[in-house]
Amino acid sequence: MKDYASYSFWLENADDLTPRPPLDGSISVDVAILGAGFTGLWTAYHLLQRDPSLKVAVLEAEIAGFGASGRNGGWCFAGFPYPPSELVEEYGRDAARAVSLAMYDSVDDVGRVCELEGIDAHYAKGGELEIARASHEMKIIEDMYNEFRLIGLEDHYRLLDKNQTDERMRVAGAVGSFWNKEGAAVQPARLARGLARAVERHGGTIYEQTRVTDYVPGPLPRLDTDRGNVSAKAIVLAGEAYLARLPKLRRRVIPITSHIVITEPLSADIWQQIGWEEREVVGGFGTKGGYLNHTADGRIAFGPYRGTYPFNSTITDALDRQEDVFEHGRKSALEWFPMLAGTRFTHSWGGVLGVPRDHMPIMQYDRRTGVAMGYGYTGDGVATTNLSGRVLADLITEADTDLTRLPMTRHTPVDWEPEPVRWAGYSLVRRGRYQASEEVERTGQQPDKPKLSQRLWGMYPPRAWRSLWKMGGRS
Ligand SMILES: Cc1cc2nc3c(=O)[nH]c(=O)nc-3n(C[C@H](O)[C@H](O)[C@H](O)COP(=O)(O)OP(=O)(O)OC[C@H]3O[C@@H](n4cnc5c(N)ncnc54)[C@H](O)[C@@H]3O)c2cc1C
């Protein structure tokens, strides 16, 4: 059996990871869910809230929280991978506002359910702080703020100058920041494991070490495994990056790696120098940028933005251990916080997140085939999976709510290109993007106009490469 605790600091510090019994023979239920990550578990949880009489089975290849949900940066925040301006362009201002409002509710719903179900996931709603560490980065945070002004939700955000930023936390070179009040820090594996227990308390069954090998759309939808099949009125595919392993969904989503390093608990003296008392989730841009978490036990987790795409979407454990990325993370953390010199980094790990071709998450249920799916959060999945769960629960129980009218429920998914175009395209865009970041950092200026390569990528339909480029050093 795998040593599940070795997959992240969070899993090592969650509960007993002994697997639950696997599926043992074919069964029939109301709803069968592939994957016990946040998407699958939130869907199960909210389905059982809406209708406690439902028979819900969750099939998990490893253990609950094994995937990205047990390994992420613990940013439970209202970030959504498709920015408001693009939602306005495609779906109108009301729809764009509705997405942000639903995301704010999701951040709060995570906290509410933790409280209600006694899940000790170290939830702390201190907001999200994106720090500009060079004057040319001020433009990035101003653009972020303007995105929300466009939809009249700027009250949830603030632009802070250097002094206001320093009052929250001291980061070397900080010149200003963007603050979003809709953000909370969590211990993600404790959240996933606690949620799994809550699902069971409400009557759901979780079968671990049970890999789904295929799914069969309706009229009698079914999940197939080597240990038996599960027929249901509705099946939910909640495997995010791992969905690319299913032959029918090979090109729907690509797995992108992300990695984290974490320090030992810091001394009171170091914390006094840094501040960061509200435990905001913190991010930054450029080649030394990353996503940071101030853990409840006084450590700093630093996730450098150095994602890679494995050829042919092949996910292996080897992807989790990229020493050059870990070293880059440790060096970047030291640059942010010079007072960490001499501090030990105790753990490092990685995982895969799912990126759809056009960066729009999908939360859909097809009543004709009985197949539901929630995936494609492009690194913004901790709160967005809660929204997926609420949306899918409403769709499956045929409730007509504001959630069932969100654009993600009707957006047409776009497939990635076949290999080797997929790999070549991704690698070229990423390399171009890093080079552009390095150049901006060298010259201290954003170029007046985009380079030819940027313009070409920008024109390439249907916008994935453009989005990838715009993501900048952010994954
Ligand atoms: C290192 C890292 C850092 C991140 N940081 C953040 C962050 O700070 N904030 C944020 O918002 N997002 C972050 N993300 C993204 C976020 O964690 C994910 O988007 C989210 O957890 C996805 O949840 P999920 O349940 O959809 O997928 P997963 O958590 O990946 O769960 C899928 C589950 O399905 C199981 N499974 C897969 N295939 C099968 C099969 N065939 N049969 C049965 N079971 C199967 C897997 O074992 C897994 O347990 C990060 C991701 C990574 C990897």
Side-chain angles (χ1 to χ4, degrees), residues 12-92:
E12 184 185 296
N13 291 280
D15 57 2
D16 176 12
L17 303 179
T18 310
R20 295 167 168 85
L23 180 70
D24 185 16
S26 294
I27 57 170
S28 170
V29 296
D30 294 313
V31 184
I33 300 176
L34 175 160
F38 290 147
T39 303
L41 294 169
W42 282 120
T43 306
Y45 182 82
H46 282 292
L47 274 169
L48 291 163
Q49 293 297 302
R50 279 156 184 68
D51 183 352
S53 73
L54 285 175
K55 259 180 105 176
V56 177
V58 184
L59 308 184
E60 165 56 51
E62 304 286 352
I63 57 165
F66 170 81
S69 299
R71 313 187 198 187
N72 59 68
W75 278 47
C76 176
F77 79 126
F80 189 78
Y82 217 70
S85 55
E86 293 190 19
L87 284 170
V88 169
E89 205 179 291
E90 207 162 322
Y91 291 99

Side-chain angles (χ1 to χ4, degrees), residues 27-34 43-44 47 54-59 215-223 230-238 364-373 392-398:
I27 57 170
S28 170
V29 296
D30 294 313
V31 184
I33 300 176
L34 175 160
T43 306
L47 274 169
L54 285 175
K55 259 180 105 176
V56 177
V58 184
L59 308 184
Y215 71 96
V216 181
L220 293 171
R222 206 177 71 214
L223 293 180
V230 183
S231 359
K233 290 175 193 140
I235 58 175
V236 182
L237 306 175
Q364 300 184 348
Y365 174 53
D366 181 342
R367 270 186 220 172
R368 277 176 313 109
T369 60
V371 179
M373 300 190 198
L392 295 181
D394 279 357
L395 288 171
I396 292 168
T397 55
E398 302 195 2

Side-chain angles (χ1 to χ4, degrees), residues 35 37-39 60-61 68-69 72-73 75 212 240 242 258 291 379-382:
F38 290 147
T39 303
E60 165 56 51
S69 299
N72 59 68
W75 278 47
V212 174
E240 244 258 297
Y242 303 89
S258 198
Y291 52 98
D380 290 345
V382 175

